[in-house]
């Protein structure tokens, strides 16, 4: 089953087989983009944002890609964008659905240390209510949709990640501190 493949495959990679990137995964609204920018600023690493890459490739917004070409076209381009990230120093910001493809779970682990950004449900719902452009959260039953997606995806994020950072009460700078600290710990532990 694909869910098992996604959960099992990552643990088979040793640290020596993994790259130097810092990869951020997590649900929409957990602050991946802002935190990725902060980490890139501090480390000087180049930043690869899969949503931005796909949008640039199509020449329109992610919402427009979903509307004009459908989710499958977006997912295909998203996977290709992830696979095109060169191995090396980098901050990789991923879209919230990237791990629904098992090969992407392996890819994020191959790129480097994976941090899972989480957020308490109440704060997450408030953050997501502020921005209306996310294509998967259009239409009625928004909250039920978020809950359903979270239920499916939380185990995928957990399986792929080396550690979690609960962003609920943290500023972006504090999340960046926690991510950089976590990466340091993972690398020290593996050395
Ligand atoms: C998606 C999350 C979005 C974007 C697209 C699909 C998802 O990215 O990739 O709208 O499936 O969760 P963010 O997590 O940056 O909002």
């Amino acid at each position: 089953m694909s869910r098992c493949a996604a959960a099992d495959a990552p643990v088979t990679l040793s640290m020596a087989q993994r790259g130097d990137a810092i990869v951020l995964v997590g649900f929409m609204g957990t602050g991946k983009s802002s935190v990725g920018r902060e980490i890139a600023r501090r480390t000087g690493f180049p930043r690869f944002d899969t949503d931005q890459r796909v949008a640039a490739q199509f020449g329109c917004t992610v919402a427009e890609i979903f509307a004009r070409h459908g989710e499958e076209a977006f997912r295909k381009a998203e996977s290709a964008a992830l696979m095109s990230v060169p191995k090396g120093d980098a901050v990789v910001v991923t879209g919230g659905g990237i791990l629904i493809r098992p090969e992407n779970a392996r890819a994020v682990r191959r790129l480097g240390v994976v941090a899972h950004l989480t957020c308490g449900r109440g704060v997450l719902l408030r953050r997501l209510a502020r921005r209306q452009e996310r294509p998967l959260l259009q239409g009625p039953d928004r909250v039920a949709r978020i809950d359903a997606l979270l239920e499916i995806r939380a185990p995928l994020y957990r399986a792929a990640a080396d550690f979690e950072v609960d962003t609920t009460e943290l500023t972006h700078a504090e999340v960046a501190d926690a991510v950089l600290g976590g990466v340091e710990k993972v690398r020290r532990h593996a050395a």
Side-chain angles (χ1 to χ4, degrees), residues 38-145:
E38 175 71 15
I39 293 175
R41 194 183 61 75
R42 289 195 204 176
T43 57
F45 290 180
R47 184 173 57 87
F48 296 89
D49 181 315
T50 58
D51 276 354
Q52 280 182 4
R53 296 210 145 206
V54 174
Q57 183 197 326
F58 280 82
C60 58
T61 67
V62 169
E64 286 163 347
I65 300 168
F66 271 68
R68 289 181 200 157
H69 306 280
E71 179 171 354
E72 202 43 39
F74 173 80
R75 295 295 172 206
K76 208 170 151 200
E78 179 182 51
S79 295
L82 181 66
M83 302 302 169
S84 76
V85 177
K87 228 172 165 189
D89 287 342
V91 183
V92 183
V93 176
T94 62
I98 200 134
L99 298 180
I100 59 183
R101 290 193 167 197
E103 66 269 27
N104 291 345
R106 286 188 288 278
V108 292
R109 300 277 298 181
R110 257 198 314 273
L111 282 171
V113 176
V114 183
H116 172 201
L117 306 192
T118 67
C119 181
R121 183 173 176 278
V123 170
L124 185 68
L125 292 179
R126 274 206 298 282
R127 288 185 192 168
L128 290 173
R130 266 187 245 135
R131 307 248 314 259
Q132 297 294 328
E133 81 283 359
R134 287 186 171 92
L136 287 181
L137 303 182
Q138 301 304 313
D141 298 332
R142 213 174 133 84
V143 173
R145 181 129 188 82

